[in-house]
Amino acid sequence: MGQSQSINARVANRRRDNAVDHNYRLMPAEDSKELRSFLTEKEVEDEECDSGDISILPDVCLACIFQFLGSGDRKQCSLVCRRWLEIEGQSRHRLTLNAQSELISAVPSLFSRFDSVTKLSLKCDRRSVSIGDDGLVLISQRCRNLTRLKLRSCRQLTDLGMASFAKNCKGLKRLSCGSCTFGAKGMNAVVDNCSSLEELTVKRLRGISNGVAAEPIGPGLAALSLKLICLKDLYNAQCFGPLIMGSKNLRTLKLFRCSGDWDRLLELVTDHVDGLVEVHLERLQISDAGLAALSHCQNLEILHILKTPDCSNSGLIFVAENCKLLRKLHIDGWKTNRINDEGLIGVSKYCPNLQELVLIGVNSTRVSLELLATNCQKLERLALCGSETVGDAEISCIAEKCTALKKLCIKSCPVSDHGMEALAVGCPNLVKVKVKKCRGVTGDGASWLRVIRESLAVNLDTTEVESQDAGSDGVQDAAAADQIEVASNAASSSTSRSTSFKARLGLIAGRNLVSCTFRKWSSFSGGGSWCH
C-alpha cells in the first residue's frame, strides 16, 4: 500500500514538473528568475527521499539527454519503459529505414511513434523490391515537416509518386536521390513545389537518360533558394541546365562523370550565376574554354579539376588571373602533362590566399614549387602524388620555403631518405607527414625523422605494404577482400587446422591494421581524404 502511494506521488510530481517546465518557458525573465530560485529550494528538500530516482526528470530533460545518444543507445533506452519509449519517439528527428516494399504496412505505426521526424533516409537493397509510390505518398502525409530526404535504390518510385510527395512536403530543404528510376517529370515536380530547397544531389537517375529529347529540368520555385547542386554518373545531366542557370544564389556546383560537352553550358551558367564559391569537375568533357568561363566567378574559393584531359596550363592561368580568392585547388592531370610548371607558376603569381594544394599526376619541379612556397605564404596543406619530377630537391625546397605548411602528403614520387632529412630541419609548423609508395624512403629514414621531430606524426607505407594494398583511388575495400580470399585459400590448402587458423588470424589482423591506418589518415585534409 505504501509503495503504491509512493509511486503515485512520484508520477504526480513528474506531471507537476512537466507542467511547471512548460509554464516556465513562457514566463518573463523576472518571473522565471524567482521561479528558478523557488524550485531550487524545493528540490533540495526532496533530494533526500528521491535521490537517484530518474523518474522525477521532466520529459523535456529526458528528450535533451536522448539527443546526445547514438541510434543504438536510443533504441536501448526506448526499451526501459513506456514513458521512455514515447519520449524517445517524439524527440527523434532523424530516421533511416529499410525501404523494401513491405515497409508500407508499417508506415502508420512507425510515424505514429516517430511523429517529429524531419530527416528521413530510405534505402533499399538492389536485389529487393523497393517501396513504391503508395508508400512514399503515405510517408509524405505523415511527415509534412520533412526537411531532408535521401532515396537510395528505390526503383519502384515513379514520376507520379514524386509529384505527390513534393506537394505534401513543400518545406523540403535537402534532396538526395541515387539509383532511382523516376525521370524529369518527377524532378520538375520537386523543383516546382519545394520553394525552400537548398541542396540537390542526383546520382544515377535512370529515368532521364532518354537521349537528346529529354525534358529540361527547372528552373522552378527551387531556383530561388538552391545553394548546392551535385550531379553524378548521369547520361543526360545537361537537362539540368535550366535549373543551374536559374539558381541565382547557387554557391556550390559539383559535376562528376557526366557525359556531354560542358564548355558551352558552363559559359551559359557563368553568364547567369556569378556567386559560385566552390566548383568540382571530375571526368568531364571540358576544355580551356570551360575553365575560361569559370574564371568569370571572381568569388571562387575552391576548385577541383580532376581527370579532365582537355584542360591545360592556359585554362588554369585564366582561372588564377581572375579568381584571386582561391583557397583550395585540386588538380589531377591524369599524367597527360598538359598542366605543369607553367600553370602552377600562374597560380603562384595570382593566388596569394592559397591554403591547400593537391597535385596528382602533375609533373611539377623546383621552379614552380619554389614560387608557390614564396608567394603563397598561407599554404598549409600540400599533396604531391604520382609525379615523376618531384624528388629530393623539390622536397628540400618545400622544407626550406613552406614555413606555414602543416600537413604534407607524398605518394609515388622519386623521393628518398635525403628528402626526409630535409623535412627534419624545415617546415617549422609541420604536424603530419604521410609518405606512400615512395620506394626510396626506408623505414630507417622515417624512424630517424620521428626521433628528430618527436611532435611530428609520420606515416610511412613501405613497398611491402604496397604489395598488400596495391591500386589507386578507393581500393581499401578491394585490398581487404583480397586478404580475406588469401586467408580462405590458406585454410583450404593446409593440412593442419591450427596452422590454418593462425594464418587466417594473421591476415585479418593485417587487414585491420591497414584499414585502421586509412581511417586515421582519412582526415588528413580536415574534410576528407585527398591523398589516396
Side-chain angles (χ1 to χ4, degrees):
M1 184 68 179
Q3 183 178 3
S4 176
Q5 291 177 350
S6 176
I7 293 175
N8 291 334
R10 290 176 182 176
V11 172
N13 288 338
R14 179 168 59 83
R15 291 176 178 172
R16 178 205 64 198
D17 291 342
N18 289 340
V20 170
D21 178 78
H22 175 72
N23 295 329
Y24 170 75
R25 286 179 290 173
L26 301 178
M27 285 183 177
E30 295 81 4
D31 295 340
S32 66
K33 186 178 296 184
E34 294 179 4
L35 179 60
R36 191 185 307 118
S37 174
F38 169 76
L39 287 177
T40 302
E41 294 174 0
K42 181 63 178 174
E43 286 169 355
V44 170
E45 294 175 3
D46 292 341
E47 186 175 1
E48 292 181 0
C49 57
D50 287 326
S51 178
D53 188 356
I54 200 171
S55 65
I56 66 172
L57 282 177
D59 291 354
V60 65
C61 291
L62 271 180
C64 289
I65 293 172
F66 290 157
Q67 294 299 325
F68 288 96
L69 303 179
S71 179
D73 291 333
R74 290 184 69 118
K75 290 178 183 177
Q76 295 296 324
C77 289
S78 68
L79 301 175
V80 171
C81 62
R82 290 184 179 180
R83 179 195 172 209
W84 283 32
L85 176 69
E86 181 180 353
I87 296 173
E88 193 279 325
Q90 293 175 348
S91 63
R92 185 185 284 264
H93 303 301
R94 185 190 301 269
L95 193 62
T96 299
L97 298 175
N98 184 2
Q100 295 184 6
S101 57
E102 296 83 1
L103 176 64
I104 187 171
S105 61
V107 166
S109 59
L110 272 172
F111 290 96
S112 293
R113 176 186 170 191
F114 304 110
D115 57 358
S116 301
V117 171
T118 59
K119 305 168 187 176
L120 179 63
S121 179
L122 299 175
K123 301 180 180 180
C124 183
D125 186 271
R126 294 183 179 181
R127 294 167 294 183
S128 303
V129 178
S130 74
I131 192 173
D133 291 344
D134 293 341
L136 185 63
V137 172
L138 187 57
I139 290 174
S140 67
Q141 292 171 347
R142 297 274 183 160
C143 298
R144 293 186 180 272
N145 295 324
L146 205 62
T147 59
R148 299 184 188 181
L149 177 65
K150 179 183 289 187
L151 301 172
R152 290 293 181 269
S153 299
C154 296
R155 294 177 299 279
Q156 271 60 50
L157 295 180
T158 68
D159 292 332
L160 294 176
M162 291 301 297
S164 299
F165 168 84
K167 291 177 182 178
N168 291 332
C169 298
K170 295 186 177 182
L172 197 69
K173 292 185 177 181
R174 295 184 184 180
L175 174 63
S176 174
C177 52
S179 300
C180 297
T181 54
F182 61 88
K185 287 184 172 61
M187 191 59 65
N188 271 319
V190 172
V191 299
D192 286 339
N193 289 278
C194 302
S195 58
S196 300
L197 194 66
E198 296 179 356
E199 297 185 10
L200 177 63
T201 300
V202 183
K203 181 178 181 180
R204 289 196 294 269
L205 192 61
R206 310 298 186 187
I208 63 170
S209 58
N210 296 326
V212 183
E215 178 182 341
I217 296 174
L221 293 176
L224 300 175
S225 56
L226 269 172
K227 297 178 181 178
L228 181 149
I229 296 178
C230 178
L231 307 177
K232 297 181 179 182
D233 301 313
L234 297 177
Y235 293 110
N236 207 350
Q238 296 194 10
C239 66
F240 284 87
L243 178 62
I244 300 174
M245 286 185 285
S247 301
K248 304 297 184 182
N249 296 313
L250 194 65
R251 295 292 177 267
T252 302
L253 178 62
K254 300 181 179 183
L255 304 172
F256 301 91
R257 302 174 296 276
C258 295
S259 60
D261 187 352
W262 286 88
D263 284 341
R264 178 56 183 161
L265 185 56
L266 285 177
E267 291 173 357
L268 294 174
V269 168
T270 53
D271 285 341
H272 294 81
V273 181
D274 57 4
L276 282 173
V277 174
E278 181 174 357
V279 176
H280 294 227
L281 307 172
E282 181 175 341
R283 292 197 181 186
L284 295 182
Q285 185 179 339
I286 179 176
S287 68
D288 291 337
L291 293 183
L294 282 179
S295 68
H296 296 157
C297 303
Q298 297 185 356
N299 295 321
L300 194 66
E301 296 181 12
I302 302 173
L303 177 61
H304 291 199
I305 311 171
L306 307 178
K307 299 178 180 178
T308 54
D310 293 330
C311 294
S312 70
N313 291 319
S314 300
L316 183 59
I317 293 174
F318 273 130
V319 173
E321 285 179 343
N322 296 283
C323 305
K324 301 184 186 301
L325 299 179
L326 203 64
R327 295 185 298 107
K328 297 182 180 181
L329 177 61
H330 292 206
I331 302 174
D332 187 342
W334 228 357
K335 296 187 177 181
T336 59
N337 206 33
R338 301 201 66 189
I339 295 180
N340 46 43
D341 277 344
E342 181 183 348
L344 296 177
I345 290 172
V347 172
S348 69
K349 183 177 180 180
Y350 299 107
C351 302
N353 296 311
L354 197 66
Q355 297 175 6
E356 178 175 300
L357 178 62
V358 177
L359 302 177
I360 305 173
V362 176
N363 288 331
S364 54
T365 67
R366 184 184 179 108
V367 175
S368 60
L369 292 176
E370 184 170 3
L371 287 173
L372 283 166
T374 302
N375 298 335
C376 303
Q377 293 292 323
K378 298 179 182 180
L379 188 63
E380 295 181 350
R381 298 174 294 278
L382 175 64
L384 304 169
C385 308
S387 174
E388 299 173 354
T389 56
V390 175
D392 292 334
E394 284 67 29
I395 300 302
S396 299
C397 173
I398 292 170
E400 179 183 354
K401 302 289 186 178
C402 292
T403 55
L405 196 66
K406 294 181 179 180
K407 300 176 183 179
L408 174 64
C409 176
I410 311 167
K411 176 185 173 184
S412 299
C413 296
V415 178
S416 71
D417 288 342
H418 294 295
M420 299 300 101
E421 293 175 5
L423 291 177
V425 295
C427 296
N429 293 304
L430 198 62
V431 294
K432 290 184 180 179
V433 175
K434 178 174 181 179
V435 181
K436 182 177 180 182
K437 298 183 182 179
C438 297
R439 298 180 181 275
V441 179
T442 66
D444 293 338
S447 298
W448 182 82
L449 180 58
R450 293 189 188 99
V451 171
I452 298 298
R453 299 186 64 167
E454 296 180 355
S455 62
L456 183 63
V458 181
N459 180 275
L460 172 66
D461 283 354
T462 63
T463 54
E464 294 178 358
V465 174
E466 177 185 345
S467 65
Q468 294 181 3
D469 192 47
S472 55
D473 301 17
V475 299
Q476 292 98 325
D477 293 338
D482 289 342
Q483 289 171 338
I484 294 174
E485 183 179 356
V486 170
S488 177
N489 293 338
S492 62
S493 62
S494 175
T495 58
S496 170
R497 184 174 180 180
S498 61
T499 304
S500 169
F501 175 78
K502 291 178 181 178
R504 192 183 306 123
L505 182 62
L507 286 167
I508 292 175
R511 179 198 67 188
N512 291 338
L513 178 61
V514 174
S515 301
C516 179
T517 301
F518 278 116
R519 285 196 298 271
K520 181 178 178 181
W521 281 87
S522 62
S523 60
F524 190 77
S525 67
S529 176
W530 45 267
C531 184
H532 300 282

Short mmCIF file of all heavy atoms in Angstrom, two decimals, residues 12 14 17 57 76 83 126 129 133 180 191 206 281 291 410 511-512 532:
data_model
loop_
_atom_site.label_atom_id
_atom_site.label_comp_id
_atom_site.label_asym_id
_atom_site.label_seq_id
_atom_site.Cartn_x
_atom_site.Cartn_y
_atom_site.Cartn_z
N ALA A 12 2.74 12.04 -9.81
CA ALA A 12 2.15 13.37 -9.66
C ALA A 12 3.22 14.45 -9.70
O ALA A 12 3.05 15.51 -10.32
CB ALA A 12 1.38 13.44 -8.34
N ARG A 14 6.12 14.24 -11.19
CA ARG A 14 6.64 14.37 -12.57
C ARG A 14 5.69 15.20 -13.43
O ARG A 14 6.10 16.05 -14.21
CB ARG A 14 6.86 12.98 -13.18
CG ARG A 14 7.36 13.03 -14.61
CD ARG A 14 7.85 11.67 -15.08
NE ARG A 14 6.82 10.65 -15.01
CZ ARG A 14 5.90 10.49 -15.98
NH1 ARG A 14 5.89 11.30 -17.02
NH2 ARG A 14 5.01 9.53 -15.89
N ASP A 17 6.10 18.74 -12.52
CA ASP A 17 7.34 19.31 -13.07
C ASP A 17 7.21 19.61 -14.55
O ASP A 17 7.71 20.61 -15.05
CB ASP A 17 8.52 18.35 -12.83
CG ASP A 17 8.86 18.25 -11.35
OD1 ASP A 17 8.45 19.15 -10.60
OD2 ASP A 17 9.55 17.27 -10.97
N LEU A 57 12.66 13.31 -13.51
CA LEU A 57 13.09 14.20 -14.58
C LEU A 57 11.92 14.55 -15.47
O LEU A 57 11.17 13.66 -15.90
CB LEU A 57 14.19 13.54 -15.43
CG LEU A 57 15.60 13.52 -14.86
CD1 LEU A 57 16.52 12.76 -15.80
CD2 LEU A 57 16.12 14.93 -14.65
N GLN A 76 18.08 1.21 -27.16
CA GLN A 76 18.12 0.57 -25.85
C GLN A 76 17.30 1.35 -24.82
O GLN A 76 16.58 0.77 -24.00
CB GLN A 76 19.57 0.44 -25.38
CG GLN A 76 20.43 -0.48 -26.24
CD GLN A 76 19.96 -1.92 -26.18
OE1 GLN A 76 19.51 -2.40 -25.14
NE2 GLN A 76 20.05 -2.62 -27.30
N ARG A 83 7.11 5.16 -20.90
CA ARG A 83 7.35 6.60 -20.94
C ARG A 83 8.58 6.92 -21.78
O ARG A 83 8.56 7.82 -22.63
CB ARG A 83 7.53 7.13 -19.51
CG ARG A 83 7.80 8.63 -19.47
CD ARG A 83 8.30 9.07 -18.12
NE ARG A 83 8.73 10.45 -18.14
CZ ARG A 83 9.67 10.96 -17.37
NH1 ARG A 83 10.29 10.19 -16.49
NH2 ARG A 83 10.00 12.23 -17.47
N ARG A 126 19.69 -3.58 -53.61
CA ARG A 126 19.48 -3.65 -55.06
C ARG A 126 18.77 -4.93 -55.50
O ARG A 126 18.13 -4.97 -56.54
CB ARG A 126 20.83 -3.54 -55.78
CG ARG A 126 21.51 -2.19 -55.61
CD ARG A 126 22.79 -2.11 -56.39
NE ARG A 126 23.44 -0.80 -56.23
CZ ARG A 126 24.58 -0.46 -56.83
NH1 ARG A 126 25.20 -1.34 -57.61
NH2 ARG A 126 25.09 0.74 -56.64
N VAL A 129 12.77 -5.65 -53.86
CA VAL A 129 11.75 -4.77 -54.43
C VAL A 129 11.56 -3.60 -53.46
O VAL A 129 11.29 -3.80 -52.28
CB VAL A 129 10.41 -5.50 -54.64
CG1 VAL A 129 9.37 -4.55 -55.19
CG2 VAL A 129 10.61 -6.68 -55.58
N ASP A 133 5.14 4.08 -55.05
CA ASP A 133 4.52 5.39 -54.94
C ASP A 133 3.58 5.49 -53.74
O ASP A 133 3.57 6.49 -53.02
CB ASP A 133 3.75 5.71 -56.22
CG ASP A 133 4.68 5.94 -57.41
OD1 ASP A 133 5.89 6.15 -57.17
OD2 ASP A 133 4.20 5.89 -58.55
N CYS A 180 17.68 5.64 -58.59
CA CYS A 180 16.23 5.59 -58.70
C CYS A 180 15.84 5.65 -60.18
O CYS A 180 16.67 5.92 -61.04
CB CYS A 180 15.59 6.74 -57.93
SG CYS A 180 15.91 6.69 -56.15
N VAL A 191 11.19 20.60 -57.92
CA VAL A 191 11.68 21.97 -58.00
C VAL A 191 10.55 22.97 -58.19
O VAL A 191 10.71 24.17 -57.90
CB VAL A 191 12.73 22.13 -59.13
CG1 VAL A 191 13.92 21.24 -58.86
CG2 VAL A 191 12.13 21.82 -60.49
N ARG A 206 18.04 6.93 -63.50
CA ARG A 206 17.86 6.21 -64.76
C ARG A 206 16.82 6.85 -65.67
O ARG A 206 16.88 6.73 -66.89
CB ARG A 206 17.44 4.76 -64.47
CG ARG A 206 18.32 4.04 -63.46
CD ARG A 206 19.75 3.91 -63.92
NE ARG A 206 20.54 3.09 -63.00
CZ ARG A 206 21.84 2.93 -63.09
NH1 ARG A 206 22.51 3.54 -64.04
NH2 ARG A 206 22.50 2.17 -62.22
N LEU A 281 34.90 19.50 -60.77
CA LEU A 281 34.77 18.94 -62.12
C LEU A 281 35.61 17.67 -62.19
O LEU A 281 36.82 17.73 -62.03
CB LEU A 281 35.24 19.95 -63.16
CG LEU A 281 34.62 21.36 -63.10
CD1 LEU A 281 35.32 22.29 -64.07
CD2 LEU A 281 33.13 21.30 -63.39
N LEU A 291 37.08 26.36 -68.54
CA LEU A 291 37.80 26.99 -67.43
C LEU A 291 37.80 28.51 -67.57
O LEU A 291 37.70 29.24 -66.58
CB LEU A 291 39.23 26.47 -67.36
CG LEU A 291 39.40 24.99 -66.98
CD1 LEU A 291 40.88 24.64 -66.89
CD2 LEU A 291 38.70 24.68 -65.67
N ILE A 410 53.08 12.75 -49.66
CA ILE A 410 53.91 12.42 -50.83
C ILE A 410 53.61 10.98 -51.22
O ILE A 410 53.76 10.07 -50.40
CB ILE A 410 55.41 12.58 -50.53
CG1 ILE A 410 55.69 13.93 -49.87
CG2 ILE A 410 56.23 12.43 -51.80
CD1 ILE A 410 57.08 14.03 -49.27
N ARG A 511 44.87 -6.92 -42.19
CA ARG A 511 43.86 -6.12 -42.85
C ARG A 511 43.35 -5.01 -41.95
O ARG A 511 43.18 -3.87 -42.34
CB ARG A 511 42.68 -7.01 -43.27
CG ARG A 511 41.56 -6.25 -43.96
CD ARG A 511 40.28 -7.07 -43.96
NE ARG A 511 39.81 -7.20 -42.60
CZ ARG A 511 38.81 -7.98 -42.25
NH1 ARG A 511 38.23 -8.75 -43.14
NH2 ARG A 511 38.43 -8.06 -40.99
N ASN A 512 43.10 -5.36 -40.67
CA ASN A 512 42.60 -4.37 -39.74
C ASN A 512 43.60 -3.25 -39.52
O ASN A 512 43.24 -2.10 -39.36
CB ASN A 512 42.25 -5.02 -38.39
CG ASN A 512 41.05 -5.94 -38.50
OD1 ASN A 512 40.24 -5.79 -39.41
ND2 ASN A 512 40.95 -6.87 -37.58
N HIS A 532 45.13 9.55 -51.76
CA HIS A 532 44.65 8.17 -51.74
C HIS A 532 45.82 7.19 -51.80
O HIS A 532 46.82 7.48 -52.42
CB HIS A 532 43.72 7.90 -52.93
CG HIS A 532 42.52 8.78 -52.93
ND1 HIS A 532 41.43 8.55 -52.12
CD2 HIS A 532 42.25 9.91 -53.63
CE1 HIS A 532 40.53 9.48 -52.34
NE2 HIS A 532 41.00 10.31 -53.24
#
